[in-house]
Amino acid sequence: MGTLILSATAVLVVMGFSNQVLWLAAVALLYLYVRYGRTGGGSSTASSSGPPASGGPAPASYRAYRDRRDQQAKWERRYRRERPSETRRQARDKGVK
């Protein structure tokens, strides 16, 4: 990813010799890469807003693991409560295999 950003910046700089707007685009691209690209996001709370990805990095603490596990269980209970027919179909399909 970093190589792609740096390559795009170099292209914008070379093309910018005839157009100053491209210089600004190169500076903006570098700023966004430094601000968001290397750290993976602007804040640490952004990663907790969505469901955890399977096979992701290990949790920082057991407390974080438990919180994510409990949140996932809550989402699964809500799904089963709101979609009983889909839950029954999945259980039936799982039993057949």
Side-chain angles (χ1 to χ4, degrees):
M1 178 71 177
T3 307
L4 180 67
I5 298 295
L6 293 177
S7 300
T9 303
V11 168
L12 286 172
V13 167
V14 169
M15 291 173 55
F17 287 120
S18 62
N19 188 355
Q20 289 78 23
V21 174
L22 295 177
W23 281 93
L24 292 174
V27 171
L29 185 63
L30 281 178
Y31 171 75
L32 291 174
Y33 173 67
V34 169
R35 177 81 168 105
Y36 299 107
R38 291 191 291 176
T39 61
S43 67
S44 61
T45 58
S47 63
S48 64
S49 63
S54 61
S61 67
Y62 183 68
R63 161 83 88 217
Y65 161 74
R66 270 189 6 215
D67 290 343
R68 284 199 307 273
R69 182 193 63 190
D70 294 345
Q71 182 67 40
Q72 181 69 30
K74 188 168 81 171
W75 286 331
E76 289 173 359
R77 286 191 303 271
R78 181 178 178 187
Y79 182 85
R80 286 193 302 268
R81 185 177 64 243
E82 291 178 353
R83 297 170 179 85
S85 60
E86 180 67 19
T87 304
R88 284 192 302 269
R89 185 191 65 77
Q90 289 175 353
R92 185 178 62 238
D93 291 346
K94 189 183 290 186
V96 171
K97 293 181 181 179

